[in-house]
C-alpha cells in the first residue's frame, strides 16, 4: 500500500515530517497553512517556513460522533483533536494514541493514517504524546 | 422623557413557536410578520422600510409577494448567528438615514436535523480540513470552553448549571422547543458529544421566525403604550487573537473577542455599564458559550460564573436573569431568527408581558448579545421608558 498525504501543500517535508506555515517579515506572525498575506498586520511580505515539530496541548476534545461528509474514514471510532502550541503559532490537528488529554502535556508531530483510497493509505498530520505533562 | 427624532423604538414584537416545521420558510416568516404588525396595531402598507434575515436558501425580500407589493425598500442580511442583530441594526440605520417612521424586521430559518454541515471551500480552507473531521462546529465549541475552563480555573460542573437553568426557564415558556427540565446531574451524565460537552449542553438547528416593528421618534408613542427604546446596537468583527470556528491556527498572543468589543461599544453608546443591566440574553449555542459570554460582555468577572450560578444570580428572582426564555439551548437555533428571539424576549420582559416567567420589579434596562461565524458579534441595549 502506498502512502499519500491528504494535501501536500500542508507539509514543508515528509521525512522528517514538518508542517509548512508562513511567517510575516513585518510583524513576525506565523500562520498555518501558508498564506500569501498576513491576517495579523495585513502585510504581504510573507515567506514559507517549517514549523516546530514539538509543542504542548493548548486545548483538546474528543469527537464522539461521526462527522458528516466530506469526512473520510475506513471505520469510525471516536478520535481526539486539539490545538497544539508550537511556540510561534498554535495549530489544530489530530491527537493520536488516546482519547483523554491534559492541557500543557508535550506532543510531537507525526503522520497518521486517515483513510484508504484504492491501494493508497491517505495520511494526515497528527500529534502524539511526547511524555508526561509538566 | 421626550422622544428625539433619531431615537428608535420597538413598538411591536412577535415570534412563532420554535421547533420542527413542515411548511415553507416564507410561510413561517409571514406568520411572524403579521403577528408583529398586529402587536403594533398597523398593517403592512404602513411599513416604510423592511429588513429580513435568513441563513437558508429563500429570499426574504420576496416576502412582499405574500405581504403586499407596496414598493418599500427591503434589505436582506445573511450574517450567520449574528443575522438578527445585523438585521435590527440595518433597520435602525435605515429609519434614521431615510427619515422614515416605521420599519419591520423579520428573521427566520427552517433547518434540517443535525449539526450544520459546513463546506471547507466556503470558508476558504482546503478540503483536507473537512476530510479529516475538523470542520465540525461542536468540536470548535468544545475546544474553546475546554481552554476557557482551564484558563480561569472553572469547575466543569458549571456547564451543567447552565443547562439546568436553560431548561428550567423553558419549562415555563410556551414558545420554547425543549421544555422538559434537566437536572445538573442529568446534564453532566448525558452522552458525551465533544468533551467536555454532553448532549444536554448543545442547542440544535430547528425552525422559527421572529418579527419586530420599529418606529422612530414621537411616532412610537402614538403607536405603543410601552415602546422600548433601542438605546444602542453595535456590531463588531474579529481582531487578531480571537478564537473562531474553523480556525486551522491561532495566534499565541493575547486573546480578543468580537463579543468583548461589541458589548463595550453597545454599553458606551447607551451611556450605561454592565452593572446597570436588569435582564439579559446571551448567545448560548452551547452551555460553555453562555459561561464565556457572561464574562466577555462584562456582566460577570472571568472565573466568577460558578458561584453566580450557585447563588441563583441568573434565575428569575436573581440579580441578573439571563436567557429567560431558555435561550438557544431550549429554543434551538433557527439562525436567522435567533438574535431577534433574544430581542423579542427582552422587549416583552421590559414591557411586563413576558410569555414565560416575568422578571419581577419592572426591569427597565435589558441587553442582548449574539455571536457567530466567522467571528462577529452584535449587542443591543434596550430601555423601557415612559414619555
Ligand atoms: Zn504581519
Amino acid at each position: 500500500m502506498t502512502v499519500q498525504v491528504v494535501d501536500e501543500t500542508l507539509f514543508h517535508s515528509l521525512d522528517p515530517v514538518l508542517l509548512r506555515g508562513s511567517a510575516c517579515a513585518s510583524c513576525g506572525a506565523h500562520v498555518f497553512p501558508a498564506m500569501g498575506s498576513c491576517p495579523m498586520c495585513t502585510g504581504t511580505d510573507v515567506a514559507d517556513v517549517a514549523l516546530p515539530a514539538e509543542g504542548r496541548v493548548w486545548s483538546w476534545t474528543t469527537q464522539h460522533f461521526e462527522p458528516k461528509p466530506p469526512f473520510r474514514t475506513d471505520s469510525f471510532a471516536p478520535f481526539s483533536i486539539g490545538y497544539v502550541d508550537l511556540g510561534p503559532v498554535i495549530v489544530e490537528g489530530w491527537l493520536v494514541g488516546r482519547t483523554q488529554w491534559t492541557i500543557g502535556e508535550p506532543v510531537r508531530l507525526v503522520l497518521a493514517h486517515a483513510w484508504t483510497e484504492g491501494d493508497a493509505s491517505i495520511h494526515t498530520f497528527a500529534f502524539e504524546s511526547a511524555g508526561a505533562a509538566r | 422623557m421626550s422622544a428625539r427624532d433619531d431615537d428608535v423604538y420597538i413598538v411591536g414584537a412577535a415570534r412563532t413557536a420554535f421547533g420542527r416545521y413542515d411548511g415553507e420558510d416564507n410561510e413561517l416568516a409571514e406568520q411572524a410578520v403579521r403577528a408583529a404588525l398586529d402587536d403594533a396595531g398597523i398593517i403592512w402598507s404602513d411599513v416604510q422600510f423592511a429588513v429580513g434575515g435568513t441563513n437558508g436558501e429563500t429570499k426574504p425580500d420576496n416576502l412582499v409577494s405574500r405581504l403586499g407589493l407596496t414598493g418599500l425598500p427591503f434589505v436582506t442580511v445573511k450574517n450567520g448567528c449574528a443575522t438578527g442583530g445585523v438585521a435590527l441594526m440595518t433597520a435602525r440605520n435605515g429609519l434614521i438615514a431615510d427619515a422614515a417612521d416605521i420599519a419591520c424586521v423579520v428573521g427566520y430559518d427552517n433547518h434540517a436535523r443535525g449539526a450544520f454541515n459546513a463546506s471547507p471551500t466556503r470558508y476558504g480552507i482546503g478540503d483536507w480540513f473537512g476530510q479529516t473531521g475538523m470542520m465540525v462546529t461542536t468540536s470548535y465549541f468544545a475546544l474553546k470552553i475546554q481552554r476557557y475552563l482551564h484558563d480561569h480555573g472553572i469547575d466543569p460542573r458549571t456547564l451543567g448549571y447552565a443547562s439546568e437553568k436553560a431548561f428550567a426557564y423553558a419549562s415555563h415558556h410556551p414558545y420554547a422547543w425543549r421544555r422538559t427540565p434537566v437536572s445538573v446531574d442529568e446534564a453532566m451524565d448525558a452522552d458525551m458529544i465533544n468533551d467536555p460537552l454532553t448532549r444536554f449542553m448543545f442547542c440544535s438547528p430547528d425552525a422559527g421566525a421572529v418579527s419586530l416593528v420599529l418606529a422612530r421618534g414621537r411616532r412610537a408613542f402614538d403607536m405603543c403604550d410601552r415602546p422600548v427604546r433601542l438605546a444602542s446596537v453595535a456590531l463588531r468583527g474579529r481582531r487578531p487573537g480571537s478564537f473562531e470556528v474553523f480556525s486551522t491556527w491561532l495566534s499565541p498572543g493575547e486573546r480578543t473577542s468580537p463579543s468583548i468589543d461589541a458589548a463595550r461599544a453597545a454599553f458606551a453608546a447607551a451611556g450605561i455599564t454592565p452593572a446597570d443591566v436588569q435582564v439579559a440574553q446571551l448567545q448560548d449555542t452551547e452551555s460553555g458559550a453562555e459561561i464565556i459570554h457572561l464574562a466577555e460582555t462584562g456582566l460577570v468577572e472571568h472565573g466568577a460564573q460558578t458561584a453566580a450560578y450557585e447563588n441563583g444570580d441568573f434565575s428569575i428572582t436573581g440579580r441578573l436573569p439571563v436567557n429567560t426564555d431558555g435561550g438557544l439551548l431550549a429554543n434551538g437555533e433557527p439562525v436567522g431568527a435567533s438574535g431577534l428571539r433574544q430581542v423579542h424576549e427582552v422587549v416583552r420582559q421590559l414591557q411586563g408581558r413576558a410569555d414565560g416567567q416575568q422578571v419581577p420589579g419592572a426591569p427597565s434596562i435589558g441587553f442582548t448579545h449574539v455571536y457567530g461565524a466567522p467571528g462577529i458579534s452584535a449587542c443591543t441595549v434596550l430601555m423601557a421608558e415612559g414619555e
Side-chain angles (χ1 to χ4, degrees):
Chain A
M1 186 169 278
T2 60
V3 171
Q4 296 174 12
V5 290
V6 63
D7 185 337
E8 289 182 357
T9 67
L10 300 177
F11 298 92
H12 173 81
S13 60
L14 293 174
D15 189 14
V17 56
L18 290 170
L19 295 175
R20 177 162 71 187
S22 53
C24 173
S26 306
C27 76
H30 285 54
V31 307
F32 171 80
M35 290 174 63
S37 60
C38 175
M40 303 294 279
C41 76
T42 74
T44 53
D45 185 6
V46 298
D48 288 2
V49 290
L51 298 178
E54 297 191 350
R56 291 183 182 275
V57 173
W58 187 85
S59 190
W60 69 275
T61 187
T62 294
Q63 180 69 34
H64 288 269
F65 66 93
E66 183 170 349
K68 292 178 182 176
F71 177 64
R72 304 280 300 268
T73 183
D74 297 336
S75 67
F76 175 77
F79 63 95
S80 294
I81 60 177
Y83 281 94
V84 174
D85 188 346
L86 298 176
V89 63
I90 300 167
V91 165
E92 186 174 18
W94 285 8
L95 301 176
V96 294
R98 46 189 155 90
T99 56
Q100 292 289 310
W101 299 81
T102 304
I103 288 175
E105 70 175 292
V107 290
R108 71 169 74 91
L109 185 67
V110 292
L111 285 177
H113 172 80
W115 73 88
T116 304
E117 198 168 291
D119 63 353
S121 166
I122 311 297
H123 279 50
T124 190
F125 67 95
F127 296 90
E128 66 175 16
S129 175
R134 198 162 35 177
Chain B
M1 150 152 201
S2 64
R4 293 173 306 170
D5 283 350
D6 59 353
D7 282 339
V8 170
Y9 297 83
I10 295 159
V11 296
R15 62 172 284 186
T16 68
F18 281 22
R20 299 288 172 220
Y21 186 74
D22 291 331
E24 288 180 46
D25 295 19
N26 282 350
E27 182 181 82
L28 189 63
E30 180 188 3
Q31 290 171 23
V33 172
R34 292 199 185 282
L37 296 174
D38 284 349
D39 193 47
I42 61 171
I43 57 175
W44 179 246
S45 54
D46 294 325
V47 178
Q48 297 161 302
F49 189 87
V51 183
T54 181
N55 219 42
E57 294 308 311
T58 60
K59 287 174 58 58
D61 51 346
N62 196 39
L63 277 170
V64 296
S65 66
R66 290 170 172 271
L67 295 165
L69 306 177
T70 61
L72 92 173
F74 196 127
V75 177
T76 291
V77 301
K78 187 170 188 173
N79 280 99
C81 301
T83 293
V86 178
L88 190 61
M89 186 183 73
T90 305
R92 195 275 313 256
N93 294 349
L95 282 179
I96 294 170
D98 291 356
D101 287 329
I102 299 174
C104 179
V105 184
V106 60
Y108 62 96
D109 261 308
N110 186 5
H111 299 296
R113 235 164 252 277
F116 291 115
N117 190 21
S119 151
T121 48
R122 268 183 68 188
Y123 280 82
I125 310 172
D127 290 338
W128 63 275
F129 196 66
Q131 289 168 337
T132 56
M134 292 197 281
M135 194 93 193
V136 179
T137 51
T138 55
S139 64
Y140 157 68
F141 291 118
L143 288 159
K144 189 168 183 174
I145 189 61
Q146 187 91 285
R147 180 72 199 190
Y148 186 83
L149 296 177
H150 171 85
D151 280 345
H152 299 284
I154 296 171
D155 184 342
R157 196 169 169 79
T158 313
L159 295 164
Y161 297 161
S163 298
E164 178 195 44
K165 175 181 68 65
F167 297 110
Y169 271 130
S171 69
H172 298 278
H173 203 286
Y175 302 133
W177 180 24
R178 303 201 183 283
R179 283 180 265 172
T180 306
V182 170
S183 71
V184 177
D185 285 338
E186 283 174 307
M188 296 304 292
D189 296 342
D191 296 339
M192 191 63 77
I193 302 292
N194 281 97
D195 307 64
L197 299 169
T198 70
R199 185 164 60 86
F200 284 127
M201 297 174 186
F202 280 104
C203 84
S204 300
D206 64 346
V210 182
S211 180
L212 304 172
V213 175
L214 274 52
R216 187 176 63 89
R218 269 285 332 155
R219 186 70 193 273
F221 291 86
D222 299 336
M223 296 172 66
C224 181
D225 292 337
R226 294 207 66 186
V228 171
R229 185 161 67 92
L230 182 57
S232 66
V233 51
L235 170 68
R236 290 292 183 275
R238 61 186 156 154
R239 291 187 291 120
S242 73
F243 183 0
E244 306 303 338
V245 71
F246 309 146
S247 294
T248 54
W249 62 279
L250 300 173
S251 69
E254 182 201 355
R255 296 258 79 81
T256 65
S257 157
S259 295
I260 296 173
D261 297 345
R264 276 187 190 151
F267 286 125
I272 66 163
T273 71
D276 296 321
V277 175
Q278 295 166 309
V279 57
Q281 282 274 337
L282 301 174
Q283 180 87 21
D284 59 331
T285 317
E286 33 74 40
S287 297
E290 180 172 284
I291 293 167
I292 293 172
H293 294 148
L294 278 166
E296 288 192 341
T297 55
L299 295 171
V300 175
E301 292 289 315
H302 289 286
Q305 293 97 328
T306 308
Y309 281 105
E310 288 175 346
N311 194 40
D313 282 3
F314 311 129
S315 65
I316 198 72
T317 54
R319 175 180 74 80
L320 175 63
V322 168
N323 293 344
T324 49
D325 56 357
L328 282 90
L329 287 176
N331 282 273
E333 187 177 24
V335 170
S338 193
L340 296 179
R341 170 191 55 74
Q342 298 183 329
V343 176
H344 173 273
E345 174 67 15
V346 170
V347 165
R348 307 278 300 202
Q349 291 286 356
L350 297 181
Q351 291 176 330
R353 52 176 193 143
D355 296 301
Q357 288 183 293
Q358 173 67 47
V359 175
S364 60
I365 299 181
F367 175 80
T368 71
H369 157 266
V370 290
Y371 165 77
I376 58 175
S377 175
C379 295
T380 71
V381 173
L382 299 159
M383 293 187 179
E385 294 172 15
E387 264 187 274

